[in-house]
Amino acid sequence: MRMGKKFYIETLGCAMNVRDSEHMIAELTTKEGYEQTENLKEADLILINTCSVREKPVNKLFSEIGLFNKRRKEGAKIGVCGCTASHLGEEIIKRAPFVDFVLGARNVSKITEVLHTPKAVEVDIDYDESRYAFGEFRTSPYKAYVNISIGCDKQCTFCIVPHTRGDEVSIPAELIVQEARKAAQSGAREIFLLGQNVNNYGRRFSGEHPKMNFTGLLRAVSEIEEVERVRFTSPHPLHMDDEFLKEFAENPKICKSMHMPLQSGSTQILKAMKRGYTKEWFLDRAVKLREMVPDVSISTDIIVAFPGESEEDFEETMDVMERVRFEQIFSFKYSPRPLTPAQDYEHQISDEVGSMRLKRLQERHNAMLDEMKSERVGKICDVYFEELRPGGMIAGRSDNNMLISVPGSEELLGKTVKVRITEAGRTSHRGEVVA
Ligand code: SAH
Ligand code: F3S
């Protein structure tokens, strides 16, 4: 083992990328004797874990690695990893010959191989990474990300992910439970289950496996004694059947925040997106969820200006927003992606119209958040504290995912405590510990 080498890593994109980076960090530190550094200039290895969901960050990639190239220590290696690596493959080395290797999102476990293979390009999207062939590393001692599946079998017509992460394969339940137990026993009381489409869990395993769906998996993970909280992302609205909603509502360890990626409120656009549900189905699920779990918070993803989106279609999205009153919205202007059908659809919407719709949606949502603020003050919730903040503050999340900080110090870290909200903001709140 070579000692004393350092690596710098930048992680873009979703929670799955964060977990992939943790896997790479584990491999580099346990097998190659590397140490992580925040200082680019002292790194012997520079990694960028990329996202390709929208066009802008992809365009920025080459200027960013150009900058790494200029600033790097002499002899330092540069590796491009993640979804853009899967998508562009060797083109990355053609355009940026100083890049030492390209490692796709489904080839993370090969990090130690590519490190020693000049100009390696490992981007096989059929590679079986469902066996957790990684060492141990977690960014937070209090919360553990655990992958439950890789890839995505849906073919949403705007989305590049199935082309960068490949077909969906579920990870064997016994491995997930083992991983969750290990993390919880070492102090991570919150387990965060990850997949592109978590509630499709169990459709395909890479080997023989007893039948198990997502509801069954949720039960199995929450039966682990040391686990206090279970979260997951992302579920698909289409697979939110009654059995799943019931488990969500009745299992006390499952945190009461649900991500329901709407994408569009227009049934016609949903059809063009191949989302598989209608506006009515989505509303029915959201209403049912609010009935079953009065304190639930619902977050969503919305795309505006998908090809063919008329003013009326956009109004349907606004209508769903009015009715569901999402606690959090991640909203995006449609971005045409290579390899996806929607990029070739007629009636692409101009950037100007897209920006206007995005602005309208965000302004209205901010106004709704301002209305919700006053309802929050005085509420008492259970907060699991995870992070020290400047000025003698400590922050954590309520069961329903509100970010709350209170005056306090280390002794609260990793503990769940009752907190009264004293000041509410749009995205984070202040509170005080209730004695
Ligand atoms: N499986 C994940 C989706 C991953 S992509 C899920 O269901 O949440 C994350 C989000 O990026 C999507 O939900 C969508 O809102 C957005 N997105 C994906 N492709 C996009 C595109 N071409 N243009 C704009 N936004 C996009
Ligand atoms: Fe993308 Fe749709 Fe899968 S948004 S990740 S293809 S569920």
Side-chain angles (χ1 to χ4, degrees), residues 96-194:
F98 53 82
V99 167
D100 291 281
F101 61 84
V102 176
L103 185 66
R106 196 156 166 160
N107 300 261
V108 168
S109 61
K110 297 182 194 160
I111 178 75
T112 49
E113 256 173 67
V114 292
L115 194 59
H116 303 297
T117 317
K119 304 293 169 193
V121 177
E122 287 287 347
V123 293
D124 178 7
I125 61 164
D126 293 322
Y127 190 63
D128 185 6
E129 285 220 308
S130 65
R131 290 258 151 210
Y132 281 163
F134 314 106
E136 274 282 304
F137 176 81
R138 299 197 174 279
T139 314
S140 164
Y142 309 109
K143 173 168 77 184
Y145 282 136
V146 177
N147 285 352
I148 69 162
S149 58
I150 52 181
C152 183
D153 268 359
K154 297 271 178 232
Q155 296 288 332
C156 302
T157 57
F158 52 81
C159 185
I160 196 173
V161 173
H163 305 279
T164 64
R165 291 189 175 269
D167 291 344
E168 194 171 307
V169 180
S170 299
I171 288 162
E174 62 276 14
L175 286 185
I176 297 170
V177 169
Q178 199 181 66
E179 180 97 343
R181 177 175 295 119
K182 209 162 56 182
Q185 285 176 346
S186 62
R189 304 286 182 215
E190 182 171 311
I191 302 297
F192 209 127
L193 305 175
L194 294 181

Side-chain angles (χ1 to χ4, degrees), residues 235-253:
H236 194 295
L238 177 66
H239 305 299
M240 291 190 179
D241 54 27
D242 289 346
E243 186 205 24
F244 166 68
L245 291 187
K246 190 164 180 285
E247 183 67 23
F248 179 85
E250 292 174 2
N251 185 328
K253 288 194 183 174

